[in-house]
C-alpha cells in the first residue's frame, strides 16, 4: 500500500509494542480490527477495536475494549490475541515478572482471557462472578506469548515460555485449567 493501513503510537521498551492483531470474523461486513498494544506511557496494554474503510483505518475510530494490568517490567507482557471458533476473543497476558500473580484470579497477569468482541463476559466462562476472574479462561502461565486453535478440532494450544528447564505447549481447550506456574514448569 502507498499509505499504511494504520499507524499506532506505542511504547517499544523491551517486549512492549504492537503485540497482537486480529481481524473480526465478520470483517467483511463490520470492518473491525482488534489490536493489543502497550500504551505510550508503557504502564499497561490496551485491547482496542478499530474500524477500517477500504485500505486504511478510520482516524479516531479506536474503541478500548479492555485495559490489562499495570506493567512494572518490560518483559513477559504477552499480548497475542485471536478469535476462537465460537467467535469470542482470546487474549494472552504474561506474568510480567510477578510469578505469584499467575495464580491470582483477581489479576490478568499470567492468564488467557476470553471476552466477547464488545468486551463483555461470555456466559460460559469458567469463573463466574464479579471482577477480573469472570474474564479468565486459563491461568498459571508464565508468558503465553502465542496460541492457536487446531483446524478441524478447535482445540486451543498455548505456547508458554519456561524459566530454565522447559518450554510448554498446553491444551487449554477446556476453560478453567491451571497450568501451575510458578510451582510447576513443563
Amino acid at each position: 500500500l502507498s499509505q499504511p493501513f494504520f499507524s499506532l503510537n506505542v511504547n517499544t521498551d523491551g517486549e512492549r509494542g504492537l503485540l497482537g492483531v486480529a481481524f473480526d470474523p465478520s470483517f467483511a461486513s463490520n470492518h473491525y480490527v482488534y489490536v493489543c498494544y502497550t500504551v505510550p506511557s508503557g504502564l499497561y496494554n490496551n485491547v482496542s477495536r478499530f474500524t477500517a474503510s477500504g485500505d486504511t483505518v478510520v482516524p479516531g475510530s479506536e474503541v478500548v475494549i479492555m485495559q490489562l494490568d499495570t506493567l512494572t517490567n518490560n518483559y513477559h507482557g504477552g499480548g497475542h490475541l485471536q478469535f476462537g471458533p465460537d467467535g469470542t476473543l482470546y487474549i494472552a497476558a504474561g506474568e510480567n515478572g510477578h510469578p505469584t500473580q499467575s495464580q491470582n484470579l483477581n489479576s490478568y497477569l499470567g492468564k488467557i482471557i476470553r471476552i466477547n468482541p464488545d468486551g463483555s463476559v461470555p456466559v460460559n466462562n469458567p469463573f463466574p462472578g464479579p471482577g477480573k476472574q469472570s474474564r479468565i479462561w486459563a491461568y498459571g502461565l508464565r508468558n503465553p506469548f502465542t496460541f492457536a486453535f487446531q483446524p478441524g478440532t478447535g482445540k486451543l494450544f498455548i505456547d508458554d515460555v519456561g524459566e530454565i528447564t522447559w518450554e510448554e505447549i498446553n491444551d487449554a481447550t477446556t476453560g478453567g485449567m491451571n497450568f501451575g506456574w510458578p510451582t510447576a514448569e513443563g
Side-chain angles (χ1 to χ4, degrees):
L1 299 172
S2 60
Q3 179 180 342
F5 181 63
F6 80 111
S7 295
L8 187 62
N9 187 16
V10 301
N11 181 295
T12 59
D13 292 339
E15 297 175 6
R16 297 177 179 180
L18 177 60
L19 306 167
V21 178
F23 287 85
D24 191 286
S26 298
F27 178 79
S29 60
N30 65 22
H31 311 290
Y32 292 157
V33 179
Y34 293 78
V35 300
C36 183
Y37 70 96
T38 311
V39 298
S41 69
L43 297 179
Y44 55 88
N45 292 329
N46 269 349
V47 176
S48 292
R49 183 187 73 214
F50 291 84
T51 303
S53 176
D55 288 340
T56 59
V57 163
V58 176
S61 67
E62 180 177 13
V63 175
V64 177
I65 301 299
M66 73 179 295
Q67 177 181 311
L68 300 180
D69 289 353
T70 301
L71 300 171
T72 57
N73 296 303
N74 65 1
Y75 59 90
H76 291 185
H80 180 76
L81 57 133
Q82 187 173 341
F83 281 91
D86 61 357
T88 59
L89 184 62
Y90 290 75
I91 305 150
E95 45 90 295
N96 195 231
H98 303 282
T100 59
Q101 292 303 308
S102 293
Q103 294 295 319
N104 179 357
L105 293 178
N106 291 311
S107 168
Y108 292 134
L109 298 176
K111 314 292 190 300
I112 295 293
I113 301 158
R114 179 179 177 252
I115 60 174
N116 291 315
D118 64 1
S120 65
V121 177
V123 296
N124 59 348
N125 269 6
F127 303 107
K132 294 178 179 180
Q133 69 190 31
S134 65
R135 288 182 168 86
I136 294 170
W137 181 255
Y139 67 109
L141 297 159
R142 186 165 187 243
N143 186 28
F145 64 97
T146 188
F147 56 85
F149 292 90
Q150 185 179 42
T153 70
K155 287 187 172 194
L156 171 58
F157 292 103
I158 303 167
D159 300 321
D160 194 18
V161 173
E163 184 174 33
I164 296 170
T165 309
W166 301 98
E167 303 288 295
E168 296 180 8
I169 299 174
N170 296 307
D171 182 346
T173 305
T174 303
M177 298 291 294
N178 178 358
F179 292 103
W181 180 256
T183 59
E185 180 183 2

